[in-house]
Amino acid sequence: MLIHIPDVLSADQVAHARRLLDTADWVDGRVTAGPQSARVKDNAQLPEGHPAARELGDTIVSALQRHPLFISAALPLHVFPPLFNRYAGGQSFGHHIDNAIRQMPGMPHRIRTDLSCTLFLSGRDEYDGGELMVEDTYGLHSVKLPAGHLVLYPATSLHHVRPVTRGVRVCSFFWLQSMVRSDADRTLLFDLDAAIRHLHGVEAAEAPAVQLTGVYHNLLRRWAEV
Ligand code: NI
């Protein structure tokens, strides 16, 4: 399931992020790539633990924790501290699948990457190309969202970023471990949650809404790891 999460950051938050990022010192993006994806990765990245990455990462994670659509779709357990990348002058990232396991920086534990997130920090008119292309069982999806919007997709997906032929594409990217490991199970819960929300305020549907909410929580109890 590929989900567009709108308005994660406000226009002011995006502008602040860009002021910090546009003056930061970027390094070669291959620092976090495995040996195979390093061969196809051509971009710049903010070093992990860079003060700007920490500040903006905290802003992004706290915004997501307040975003009902994100919570419903991701059911997050652990969120990796957001990273930042930059593509310009024809840079791209060829076909790859993200690493399954990530060491949490500065912490003793690792996370399993169930979902990948890309948060766009450049407006769509600021650059040409740079689409995130995600392959799933329903085909190839092209993703290029307004600044401040995020796409959430299964980390099991083969994906690539098309060359940026004009302007600069700045994004934040990160992974999360979900309480519900299976994308199919998580999708059922997401659809059920959406249906229950539609029933809110419908007087005649009050009893079935309570029953369906019970079903939601009992499925979550069955499938969740916390
Ligand atoms: Ni990737």
Side-chain angles (χ1 to χ4, degrees):
M1 179 174 60
L2 186 145
I3 295 177
H4 171 186
I5 313 281
D7 303 313
V8 172
L9 296 186
S10 67
D12 284 349
Q13 287 174 314
V14 170
H16 175 68
R18 289 298 300 277
R19 275 195 296 277
L20 285 182
L21 295 172
D22 289 349
T23 54
D25 289 324
W26 296 80
V27 299
D28 190 309
R30 279 173 282 233
V31 287
T32 52
Q36 194 182 28
S37 60
R39 289 207 296 275
V40 292
K41 186 173 185 181
D42 177 22
N43 65 8
Q45 199 165 301
L46 210 57
E48 276 184 40
H50 188 289
R54 285 191 185 183
E55 181 195 321
L56 300 174
D58 288 347
T59 302
I60 293 166
V61 172
S62 50
L64 288 171
Q65 281 164 349
R66 293 191 302 270
H67 205 302
L69 182 62
F70 174 80
I71 298 294
S72 177
L75 296 169
L77 178 61
H78 301 297
V79 180
F80 194 87
L83 299 169
F84 296 83
N85 62 20
R86 186 179 187 276
Y87 295 78
Q91 287 181 313
S92 65
F93 194 164
H95 291 271
H96 67 284
I97 288 186
D98 296 341
N99 289 352
I101 306 292
R102 289 270 168 190
Q103 179 71 44
M104 289 288 269
M107 286 189 228
H109 65 275
R110 291 168 290 191
I111 67 162
R112 186 187 63 233
T113 58
D114 295 322
L115 289 162
S116 297
C117 306
T118 296
L119 173 68
F120 289 78
L121 293 168
S122 297
R124 284 183 288 196
D125 53 354
E126 285 184 63
Y127 58 101
D128 289 336
E131 296 87 355
L132 170 66
M133 307 297 291
V134 182
E135 291 180 32
D136 68 12
T137 44
Y138 302 107
L140 185 61
H141 304 273
S142 171
V143 185
K144 185 170 182 174
L145 299 179
H149 294 213
L150 177 141
V151 62
L152 187 66
Y153 60 98
T156 50
S157 316
L158 193 59
H159 58 281
H160 64 282
V161 176
R162 297 192 59 229
V164 172
T165 54
R166 176 190 66 88
V168 178
R169 175 196 192 267
V170 179
C171 285
S172 174
F173 66 102
F174 50 99
W175 307 272
L176 64 90
Q177 181 170 333
S178 175
M179 290 189 283
V180 175
R181 178 180 194 158
S182 153
D183 188 57
D185 294 348
R186 208 184 314 107
T187 303
L188 284 175
L189 289 169
F190 178 68
D191 289 343
L192 181 54
D193 187 41
I196 292 168
R197 278 167 205 266
H198 280 300
L199 295 179
H200 277 319
V202 180
E203 208 178 317
E206 204 175 310
V210 170
Q211 203 169 12
L212 287 173
T213 303
V215 172
Y216 178 89
H217 282 282
N218 289 331
L219 287 174
L220 186 58
R221 210 183 318 275
R222 177 175 290 229
W223 291 332
E225 317 154 53
V226 290

